[in-house]
Amino acid sequence: MKLFKDFAFGAAYLVSGIYSLGFSMVLTGATRAVSGTTAYVNVPDGLFPIEILLFTMFGLAFLGASIYHFRASLRVLSKKKAQYGNSTLVG
């Protein structure tokens, strides 16, 4: 059960991290639409750089959490494989 829980959390954190980083890139204009033109006009306020920094930090935190949970799920898999790999069948 721990394997599925860690994998589900890792997947959710990965999607959230990619979304947060992508959203911060779109807001700063680092990415453009396929046609090259934007459909909206950004009017930044005084807090705009802080908002971008927060989205980037949240995205990185979510990506770090996803790596942690994916590594935990891989650890569970390797323990199960080692546990079943050492048994021998006689017969």
Side-chain angles (χ1 to χ4, degrees):
M1 190 67 177
K2 182 167 173 41
L3 171 69
F4 297 116
K5 184 179 88 170
D6 280 331
F7 185 79
F9 276 120
Y13 287 143
L14 181 66
V15 169
S16 298
I18 291 172
Y19 177 80
S20 294
L21 286 176
F23 189 63
S24 69
M25 289 174 64
V26 166
L27 286 177
T28 58
T31 58
R32 299 274 181 219
V34 176
S35 64
T37 58
T38 56
Y40 58 90
V41 176
N42 281 337
V43 180
D45 56 354
L47 294 176
F48 186 71
I50 295 171
E51 293 168 352
I52 299 300
L53 180 67
L54 284 175
F55 272 110
T56 305
M57 287 175 49
F58 283 138
L60 293 175
F62 282 135
L63 288 178
S66 72
I67 290 170
Y68 172 78
H69 280 286
F70 281 135
R71 288 184 72 199
S73 63
L74 289 175
R75 232 179 285 132
V76 169
L77 275 177
S78 66
K79 284 181 184 179
K80 283 185 179 183
K81 185 176 180 181
Q83 180 183 9
Y84 294 128
N86 291 337
S87 62
T88 59
L89 295 175
V90 178

